[in-house]
Amino acid sequence: MTIGVEQFAIGISWAASGVGLAMWLWSWFAEKNPLRRQRLLDCGLVLISSAILLRIVTQTKPLGVLDWTMAILSPLFIAAALWRLCRTACPPADGAR
């Protein structure tokens, strides 16, 4: 029995969803530093949103209202989270912001 590319992609998307959920839970319950908490939330959001998009792309049934909503909103959430991650990556050298 061989695994097809579609099944492999769906398995990877579920694994990414699990890692993203773990990042969210860690940031809510274990992380005390607010900057690290926000970065964990953003990383988890990117993983979960991209996994949802991958599952939407690989499904064979017609898209419903929820599917279209997630397909439209997920890239916006991903872009916002990546922008926040870039903004909080390294503090400026001169200390001014």
Side-chain angles (χ1 to χ4, degrees):
M1 183 169 122
T2 59
I3 296 176
V5 175
E6 182 178 316
Q7 293 166 339
F8 180 72
I10 290 172
I12 294 296
S13 75
W14 280 110
S17 294
V19 171
L21 181 63
M23 287 178 156
W24 271 1
L25 293 174
W26 184 267
S27 69
W28 286 336
F29 298 115
E31 188 58 53
K32 303 299 179 206
N33 185 343
L35 184 60
R36 270 189 259 164
R37 180 180 299 135
Q38 184 64 46
R39 289 182 60 79
L40 280 170
L41 285 170
D42 288 339
C43 288
L45 176 71
V46 168
L47 283 172
I48 290 173
S49 296
S50 60
I52 288 171
L53 281 176
L54 181 60
R55 284 194 295 273
I56 288 172
V57 168
T58 58
Q59 74 182 3
T60 56
K61 66 177 181 140
L63 297 180
V65 174
L66 183 61
D67 295 331
W68 279 109
T69 303
M70 292 305 296
I72 292 169
L73 291 179
S74 288
L76 298 174
F77 290 147
I78 291 170
L82 290 175
W83 181 78
R84 277 192 307 264
L85 284 168
C86 289
R87 297 275 298 155
T88 60
C90 296
D94 60 359
R97 227 183 222 215

PDB file of all heavy atoms in Angstrom, residues 77-96:
ATOM      1  N   PHE A  77      -4.792  36.625   7.817  1.00  0.00           N
ATOM      2  CA  PHE A  77      -4.254  36.344   9.142  1.00  0.00           C
ATOM      3  C   PHE A  77      -2.777  35.963   9.068  1.00  0.00           C
ATOM      4  O   PHE A  77      -1.973  36.361   9.920  1.00  0.00           O
ATOM      5  CB  PHE A  77      -5.040  35.227   9.828  1.00  0.00           C
ATOM      6  CG  PHE A  77      -6.421  35.620  10.243  1.00  0.00           C
ATOM      7  CD1 PHE A  77      -7.444  34.698  10.220  1.00  0.00           C
ATOM      8  CD2 PHE A  77      -6.712  36.904  10.658  1.00  0.00           C
ATOM      9  CE1 PHE A  77      -8.725  35.050  10.609  1.00  0.00           C
ATOM     10  CE2 PHE A  77      -7.989  37.272  11.051  1.00  0.00           C
ATOM     11  CZ  PHE A  77      -8.998  36.337  11.028  1.00  0.00           C
ATOM     12  N   ILE A  78      -2.412  35.181   8.062  1.00  0.00           N
ATOM     13  CA  ILE A  78      -1.015  34.781   7.896  1.00  0.00           C
ATOM     14  C   ILE A  78      -0.141  36.007   7.643  1.00  0.00           C
ATOM     15  O   ILE A  78       0.926  36.152   8.246  1.00  0.00           O
ATOM     16  CB  ILE A  78      -0.880  33.754   6.754  1.00  0.00           C
ATOM     17  CG1 ILE A  78      -1.527  32.428   7.153  1.00  0.00           C
ATOM     18  CG2 ILE A  78       0.577  33.534   6.384  1.00  0.00           C
ATOM     19  CD1 ILE A  78      -1.662  31.433   6.018  1.00  0.00           C
ATOM     20  N   ALA A  79      -0.589  36.893   6.772  1.00  0.00           N
ATOM     21  CA  ALA A  79       0.188  38.095   6.469  1.00  0.00           C
ATOM     22  C   ALA A  79       0.349  38.979   7.710  1.00  0.00           C
ATOM     23  O   ALA A  79       1.443  39.494   7.981  1.00  0.00           O
ATOM     24  CB  ALA A  79      -0.473  38.885   5.345  1.00  0.00           C
ATOM     25  N   ALA A  80      -0.711  39.143   8.479  1.00  0.00           N
ATOM     26  CA  ALA A  80      -0.627  39.963   9.691  1.00  0.00           C
ATOM     27  C   ALA A  80       0.317  39.343  10.716  1.00  0.00           C
ATOM     28  O   ALA A  80       1.134  40.044  11.336  1.00  0.00           O
ATOM     29  CB  ALA A  80      -2.011  40.147  10.293  1.00  0.00           C
ATOM     30  N   ALA A  81       0.246  38.029  10.893  1.00  0.00           N
ATOM     31  CA  ALA A  81       1.121  37.359  11.853  1.00  0.00           C
ATOM     32  C   ALA A  81       2.580  37.421  11.406  1.00  0.00           C
ATOM     33  O   ALA A  81       3.474  37.657  12.221  1.00  0.00           O
ATOM     34  CB  ALA A  81       0.678  35.912  12.045  1.00  0.00           C
ATOM     35  N   LEU A  82       2.836  37.226  10.118  1.00  0.00           N
ATOM     36  CA  LEU A  82       4.215  37.317   9.627  1.00  0.00           C
ATOM     37  C   LEU A  82       4.750  38.738   9.753  1.00  0.00           C
ATOM     38  O   LEU A  82       5.931  38.939  10.058  1.00  0.00           O
ATOM     39  CB  LEU A  82       4.302  36.838   8.181  1.00  0.00           C
ATOM     40  CG  LEU A  82       4.115  35.335   7.970  1.00  0.00           C
ATOM     41  CD1 LEU A  82       4.108  35.014   6.484  1.00  0.00           C
ATOM     42  CD2 LEU A  82       5.177  34.554   8.694  1.00  0.00           C
ATOM     43  N   TRP A  83       3.894  39.740   9.548  1.00  0.00           N
ATOM     44  CA  TRP A  83       4.325  41.127   9.717  1.00  0.00           C
ATOM     45  C   TRP A  83       4.708  41.385  11.169  1.00  0.00           C
ATOM     46  O   TRP A  83       5.744  42.000  11.446  1.00  0.00           O
ATOM     47  CB  TRP A  83       3.205  42.073   9.284  1.00  0.00           C
ATOM     48  CG  TRP A  83       3.577  43.504   9.397  1.00  0.00           C
ATOM     49  CD1 TRP A  83       4.362  44.220   8.545  1.00  0.00           C
ATOM     50  CD2 TRP A  83       3.202  44.403  10.440  1.00  0.00           C
ATOM     51  NE1 TRP A  83       4.494  45.507   8.993  1.00  0.00           N
ATOM     52  CE2 TRP A  83       3.782  45.647  10.156  1.00  0.00           C
ATOM     53  CE3 TRP A  83       2.422  44.263  11.583  1.00  0.00           C
ATOM     54  CZ2 TRP A  83       3.612  46.750  10.980  1.00  0.00           C
ATOM     55  CZ3 TRP A  83       2.254  45.363  12.395  1.00  0.00           C
ATOM     56  CH2 TRP A  83       2.845  46.585  12.092  1.00  0.00           C
ATOM     57  N   ARG A  84       3.894  40.901  12.127  1.00  0.00           N
ATOM     58  CA  ARG A  84       4.229  41.072  13.547  1.00  0.00           C
ATOM     59  C   ARG A  84       5.506  40.317  13.901  1.00  0.00           C
ATOM     60  O   ARG A  84       6.323  40.798  14.690  1.00  0.00           O
ATOM     61  CB  ARG A  84       3.082  40.604  14.425  1.00  0.00           C
ATOM     62  CG  ARG A  84       2.013  41.626  14.618  1.00  0.00           C
ATOM     63  CD  ARG A  84       1.055  41.233  15.720  1.00  0.00           C
ATOM     64  NE  ARG A  84       0.501  39.908  15.555  1.00  0.00           N
ATOM     65  CZ  ARG A  84      -0.669  39.647  14.998  1.00  0.00           C
ATOM     66  NH1 ARG A  84      -1.411  40.621  14.560  1.00  0.00           N
ATOM     67  NH2 ARG A  84      -1.094  38.406  14.900  1.00  0.00           N
ATOM     68  N   LEU A  85       5.681  39.124  13.325  1.00  0.00           N
ATOM     69  CA  LEU A  85       6.905  38.368  13.598  1.00  0.00           C
ATOM     70  C   LEU A  85       8.138  39.102  13.081  1.00  0.00           C
ATOM     71  O   LEU A  85       9.187  39.108  13.731  1.00  0.00           O
ATOM     72  CB  LEU A  85       6.815  36.967  12.982  1.00  0.00           C
ATOM     73  CG  LEU A  85       5.943  35.977  13.734  1.00  0.00           C
ATOM     74  CD1 LEU A  85       5.702  34.742  12.881  1.00  0.00           C
ATOM     75  CD2 LEU A  85       6.568  35.612  15.060  1.00  0.00           C
ATOM     76  N   CYS A  86       8.024  39.722  11.919  1.00  0.00           N
ATOM     77  CA  CYS A  86       9.153  40.498  11.381  1.00  0.00           C
ATOM     78  C   CYS A  86       9.434  41.725  12.239  1.00  0.00           C
ATOM     79  O   CYS A  86      10.595  42.087  12.451  1.00  0.00           O
ATOM     80  CB  CYS A  86       8.868  40.927   9.948  1.00  0.00           C
ATOM     81  SG  CYS A  86       8.911  39.567   8.782  1.00  0.00           S
ATOM     82  N   ARG A  87       8.396  42.360  12.734  1.00  0.00           N
ATOM     83  CA  ARG A  87       8.560  43.568  13.544  1.00  0.00           C
ATOM     84  C   ARG A  87       9.181  43.262  14.903  1.00  0.00           C
ATOM     85  O   ARG A  87       9.832  44.117  15.486  1.00  0.00           O
ATOM     86  CB  ARG A  87       7.222  44.254  13.763  1.00  0.00           C
ATOM     87  CG  ARG A  87       6.557  44.746  12.523  1.00  0.00           C
ATOM     88  CD  ARG A  87       6.993  46.081  12.089  1.00  0.00           C
ATOM     89  NE  ARG A  87       6.674  47.080  13.103  1.00  0.00           N
ATOM     90  CZ  ARG A  87       7.325  48.215  13.228  1.00  0.00           C
ATOM     91  NH1 ARG A  87       8.288  48.498  12.423  1.00  0.00           N
ATOM     92  NH2 ARG A  87       6.999  49.060  14.169  1.00  0.00           N
ATOM     93  N   THR A  88       8.967  42.078  15.435  1.00  0.00           N
ATOM     94  CA  THR A  88       9.469  41.731  16.762  1.00  0.00           C
ATOM     95  C   THR A  88      10.693  40.821  16.714  1.00  0.00           C
ATOM     96  O   THR A  88      11.134  40.319  17.737  1.00  0.00           O
ATOM     97  CB  THR A  88       8.385  41.046  17.602  1.00  0.00           C
ATOM     98  OG1 THR A  88       7.962  39.850  16.942  1.00  0.00           O
ATOM     99  CG2 THR A  88       7.209  41.967  17.834  1.00  0.00           C
ATOM    100  N   ALA A  89      11.259  40.616  15.523  1.00  0.00           N
ATOM    101  CA  ALA A  89      12.378  39.670  15.384  1.00  0.00           C
ATOM    102  C   ALA A  89      13.628  40.157  16.113  1.00  0.00           C
ATOM    103  O   ALA A  89      14.172  39.458  16.947  1.00  0.00           O
ATOM    104  CB  ALA A  89      12.687  39.424  13.918  1.00  0.00           C
ATOM    105  N   CYS A  90      14.086  41.326  15.799  1.00  0.00           N
ATOM    106  CA  CYS A  90      15.300  41.860  16.418  1.00  0.00           C
ATOM    107  C   CYS A  90      15.056  43.300  16.820  1.00  0.00           C
ATOM    108  O   CYS A  90      14.511  44.089  16.034  1.00  0.00           O
ATOM    109  CB  CYS A  90      16.471  41.812  15.425  1.00  0.00           C
ATOM    110  SG  CYS A  90      16.936  40.168  14.953  1.00  0.00           S
ATOM    111  N   PRO A  91      15.461  43.660  18.027  1.00  0.00           N
ATOM    112  CA  PRO A  91      15.323  45.079  18.410  1.00  0.00           C
ATOM    113  C   PRO A  91      16.275  45.928  17.596  1.00  0.00           C
ATOM    114  O   PRO A  91      17.336  45.458  17.142  1.00  0.00           O
ATOM    115  CB  PRO A  91      15.676  45.087  19.891  1.00  0.00           C
ATOM    116  CG  PRO A  91      16.494  43.872  20.098  1.00  0.00           C
ATOM    117  CD  PRO A  91      16.047  42.868  19.071  1.00  0.00           C
ATOM    118  N   PRO A  92      15.933  47.209  17.362  1.00  0.00           N
ATOM    119  CA  PRO A  92      16.837  48.079  16.610  1.00  0.00           C
ATOM    120  C   PRO A  92      18.151  48.271  17.357  1.00  0.00           C
ATOM    121  O   PRO A  92      18.197  48.215  18.591  1.00  0.00           O
ATOM    122  CB  PRO A  92      16.067  49.382  16.471  1.00  0.00           C
ATOM    123  CG  PRO A  92      14.924  49.296  17.399  1.00  0.00           C
ATOM    124  CD  PRO A  92      14.710  47.857  17.746  1.00  0.00           C
ATOM    125  N   ALA A  93      19.206  48.487  16.613  1.00  0.00           N
ATOM    126  CA  ALA A  93      20.542  48.604  17.207  1.00  0.00           C
ATOM    127  C   ALA A  93      20.665  49.855  18.076  1.00  0.00           C
ATOM    128  O   ALA A  93      21.339  49.833  19.115  1.00  0.00           O
ATOM    129  CB  ALA A  93      21.604  48.637  16.117  1.00  0.00           C
ATOM    130  N   ASP A  94      20.032  50.957  17.693  1.00  0.00           N
ATOM    131  CA  ASP A  94      20.159  52.194  18.468  1.00  0.00           C
ATOM    132  C   ASP A  94      19.184  52.270  19.633  1.00  0.00           C
ATOM    133  O   ASP A  94      19.242  53.200  20.418  1.00  0.00           O
ATOM    134  CB  ASP A  94      19.993  53.413  17.560  1.00  0.00           C
ATOM    135  CG  ASP A  94      18.634  53.444  16.864  1.00  0.00           C
ATOM    136  OD1 ASP A  94      17.831  52.506  17.087  1.00  0.00           O
ATOM    137  OD2 ASP A  94      18.384  54.386  16.129  1.00  0.00           O
ATOM    138  N   GLY A  95      18.282  51.317  19.753  1.00  0.00           N
ATOM    139  CA  GLY A  95      17.346  51.292  20.867  1.00  0.00           C
ATOM    140  C   GLY A  95      16.125  52.158  20.655  1.00  0.00           C
ATOM    141  O   GLY A  95      15.245  52.200  21.509  1.00  0.00           O
ATOM    142  N   ALA A  96      16.013  52.854  19.541  1.00  0.00           N
ATOM    143  CA  ALA A  96      14.860  53.716  19.286  1.00  0.00           C
ATOM    144  C   ALA A  96      13.830  52.978  18.457  1.00  0.00           C
ATOM    145  O   ALA A  96      14.161  52.235  17.553  1.00  0.00           O
ATOM    146  CB  ALA A  96      15.308  54.979  18.535  1.00  0.00           C
TER     147      ALA A  96
END
